[in-house]
Amino acid sequence: MFTPQRLSRTIRPLLASTRRWHTTEKAVFLDLKQLEALEQLESVEWAELPAISQTVARRSAAAEYGRKRIGAVPLPKPLIDGISEIVQESDKKLIRTDALRIYESLRSTSRIPTEDTTKEPHTVAYGPRESLAYLAGAMPSAYAATFNVLHEISHRLSDFKPKTILDFGTGPGTALWASHQVYEDIQHCTGVDLSEDMLSIAERLQDNVAPQLPIDFKRYLALGPEASKPDLVISAFTLGDIPSTALQKSIVRQLWDMTGDVLVLIDRGTPIGFSNIARARQYVLDTNEDVHVVAPCPHDKPCPLLYSPDAKPDRLWCHFSQRVQRPQFLMKTKHSKSNSEDAKYSYVVLRRGQRPKVTEGDHASEAYTWSRLVQAPMKKQGHVIMDVCTKEGEIQRMVVPKSQGKVPYKDARKIAWGDLFPHPPKNKPVVRMSKGSTSNDDVA
């Protein structure tokens, strides 16, 4: 009987002689057995051979569920077309000049001010020129970060299907366009921004992105006592533009009071941006018992990176990164040939109700207790070192050795910054930052 093994034994000398023919440039002479093998090769039915169809899993199902990292985020084509049309009508050199002023403003307000700070931060008021420069030079990064957060929410909260959305500090409608890509059943949106020029751009972009979606653009945040609360409230990259912490606190509490289900707060991935988010998170947790943190924290305790006695928020702060595909208008604004960039951001997702009870085998509930990587893992020979935020409210350094098991070690080798790690440590972890305490209210 002719078998694949017999075929292999018969053909191997033929292949070897063929290689010799290529190297020595000599003729190949086949004996009777080799000729019979070639005849058998023509008549063999390959469908009878065992097929290898099993796919090799790169990580466990739990680790896959806890994965936050997604590929580079592209802007929707209708949005790109709308922005490109606006840019084409404007002075390109002027857009470039104004965009550089915006970048300088973002850099000057990225660090936590100290007593040694001598340079005054450079702030920008968004008039017609600044709004256009933001659209052409900064909006794609904000869109990618917001899309990542909303994508994580849709993955983690399968029962959450928002019908109404409020975007505070909407700018050119960034969070609204990202929400429109993630959720299909949106029935009504409200965009609030103090800048009339930003709202004008947002209204014009709506004609390209979501012409059928009912959107109200307003300059002021107002909701009557009898009005229904939006299911999803978003404030993306707005807290940093509010001049004082007292005003930030007032606005955050007002946003929470207007939230029907989920509140999303996003800011720049800088020390001051993280501090804004961590304080806003604590404002809501301190004044409400019927609330819990969905992401990124696996706990509802004070943030150890800001409120711990060991905290050094100017050196280690909670932030994440999302890659965005640069459209042509952004590459021209930045005078860059690279078609991608990384957007750094800090965020928190708060939801009404008590923290779900953990059900064994249910990833959706178990994920609330899994540790979150706050830095990129250090993958060494035979072990992986990870700095994680844990359900105890601490920042711990966890080491996952190869001896811990095939599944935990494989998951640790594939894990990325920002992912949830579903396995407990084998050895006692090192506490890098202890539990936070809100008694120290003068934290920057």
Side-chain angles (χ1 to χ4, degrees):
M1 179 179 178
F2 185 77
T3 63
Q5 291 80 9
R6 181 179 175 185
L7 174 65
S8 177
R9 291 195 302 269
T10 309
I11 293 300
R12 190 177 294 112
L14 174 61
L15 296 178
S17 64
T18 304
R19 287 193 295 270
R20 288 195 300 271
W21 176 73
H22 278 297
T23 55
T24 60
E25 297 184 357
K26 293 182 179 180
V28 178
F29 297 94
L30 303 180
D31 56 24
L32 184 60
K33 284 186 176 182
Q34 292 171 338
L35 290 173
E36 291 177 353
L38 289 177
E39 293 177 359
Q40 293 283 358
L41 183 63
E42 294 179 357
S43 62
V44 67
E45 296 182 6
W46 294 104
E48 298 178 357
L49 299 179
I52 302 176
S53 59
Q54 297 179 352
T55 57
V56 180
R58 293 173 59 87
R59 53 179 64 84
S60 68
E64 185 65 33
Y65 184 85
R67 183 182 181 187
K68 176 177 173 60
R69 188 182 185 92
I70 59 177
V73 173
L75 269 65
K77 188 178 185 304
L79 182 58
I80 294 177
D81 293 342
I83 298 175
S84 300
E85 181 180 342
I86 296 175
V87 171
Q88 287 297 327
E89 299 173 356
S90 309
D91 188 337
K92 313 297 190 305
K93 293 183 179 179
L94 201 60
I95 291 177
R96 164 73 177 174
T97 301
D98 295 332
L100 291 177
R101 288 197 295 117
I102 292 176
Y103 300 150
E104 177 59 30
S105 173
L106 297 177
R107 282 191 292 267
S108 66
T109 56
S110 64
R111 309 299 300 184
I112 296 177
T114 62
E115 295 179 356
D116 299 332
T117 303
T118 57
K119 187 177 180 180
E120 289 292 329
H122 172 59
T123 58
V124 172
Y126 286 95
R129 288 174 49 179
E130 292 80 8
S131 299
L132 183 58
Y134 178 88
L135 179 72
M139 188 260 204
S141 294
Y143 176 91
T146 306
F147 181 89
N148 181 291
V149 174
L150 295 176
H151 178 272
E152 181 182 7
I153 295 173
S154 66
H155 173 64
R156 292 277 306 278
L157 305 178
S158 58
D159 62 330
F160 179 63
K161 306 292 182 182
K163 303 292 185 183
T164 53
I165 297 177
L166 168 64
D167 181 15
F168 177 74
T170 186
T174 309
L176 296 179
W177 315 140
S179 302
H180 182 65
Q181 288 294 113
V182 176
Y183 295 106
E184 299 178 351
D185 300 328
I186 302 175
Q187 297 178 357
H188 187 270
C189 295
T190 302
V192 179
D193 200 284
L194 190 61
S195 171
E196 290 185 355
D197 299 290
M198 282 288 196
L199 295 180
S200 298
I201 292 176
E203 289 175 347
R204 183 170 175 181
L205 290 176
Q206 183 188 0
D207 296 335
N208 284 71
V209 183
Q212 305 300 327
L213 182 62
I215 303 178
D216 291 333
F217 290 105
K218 302 178 180 180
R219 289 196 63 200
Y220 300 103
L221 183 63
L223 185 67
E226 297 181 357
S228 59
K229 297 180 178 179
D231 299 329
L232 174 62
V233 176
I234 307 173
S235 178
F237 303 95
T238 303
L239 291 178
D241 295 332
I242 300 175
S244 68
T245 56
L247 187 56
Q248 286 182 9
K249 184 175 183 179
S250 174
I251 290 178
V252 168
R253 288 181 174 176
Q254 187 177 359
L255 289 175
W256 176 250
D257 291 339
M258 299 176 68
T259 301
D261 197 347
V262 173
L263 172 64
V264 177
L265 302 175
I266 309 173
D267 209 339
R268 290 178 290 148
T270 61
I272 192 65
F274 154 70
S275 300
N276 293 335
I277 293 296
R279 283 196 300 266
R281 170 186 181 275
Q282 200 59 42
Y283 296 156
V284 178
L285 293 175
D286 284 345
T287 57
N288 299 271
E289 296 181 356
D290 193 34
V291 59
H292 64 276
V293 179
V294 177
C297 324
H299 61 87
D300 296 331
K301 302 176 178 64
C303 177
L305 288 170
L306 184 67
Y307 291 105
S308 170
D310 311 313
K312 297 180 180 179
D314 56 337
R315 296 184 182 180
L316 177 60
W317 62 96
C318 181
H319 69 292
F320 306 94
S321 178
Q322 174 57 52
R323 179 153 294 185
V324 56
Q325 292 183 12
R326 282 176 174 167
Q328 284 294 326
F329 65 81
L330 180 58
M331 296 173 64
K332 292 178 181 178
T333 301
K334 292 195 169 185
H335 288 185
S336 173
K337 295 182 179 179
S338 174
N339 64 350
S340 67
E341 65 180 61
D342 294 324
K344 303 295 194 302
Y345 64 97
S346 297
Y347 78 106
V348 66
V349 179
L350 299 152
R351 191 178 195 185
R352 292 194 179 276
Q354 297 298 314
R355 180 170 283 261
K357 295 182 179 180
V358 178
T359 303
E360 186 175 355
D362 178 25
H363 296 334
S365 62
E366 290 179 333
Y368 279 90
T369 62
W370 292 345
S371 300
R372 173 89 64 176
L373 268 72
V374 296
Q375 290 191 118
M378 294 172 279
K379 300 175 182 179
K380 307 294 184 179
Q381 185 69 29
H383 67 280
V384 179
I385 303 173
M386 299 180 292
D387 288 339
V388 296
C389 182
T390 66
K391 61 182 179 180
E392 292 81 13
E394 300 174 337
I395 301 298
Q396 298 179 357
R397 172 155 290 185
M398 180 190 303
V399 179
V400 181
K402 196 171 185 178
S403 60
Q404 184 167 341
K406 183 177 180 180
V407 174
Y409 182 68
K410 182 172 67 173
D411 288 345
R413 298 297 299 185
K414 297 298 180 182
I415 202 166
W417 173 22
D419 290 350
L420 294 168
F421 189 67
H423 306 286
K426 177 183 179 181
N427 304 312
K428 185 177 180 180
V430 177
V431 178
R432 293 198 62 191
M433 294 183 186
S434 58
K435 297 178 182 179
S437 173
T438 55
S439 60
N440 184 17
D441 292 332
D442 60 346
V443 177

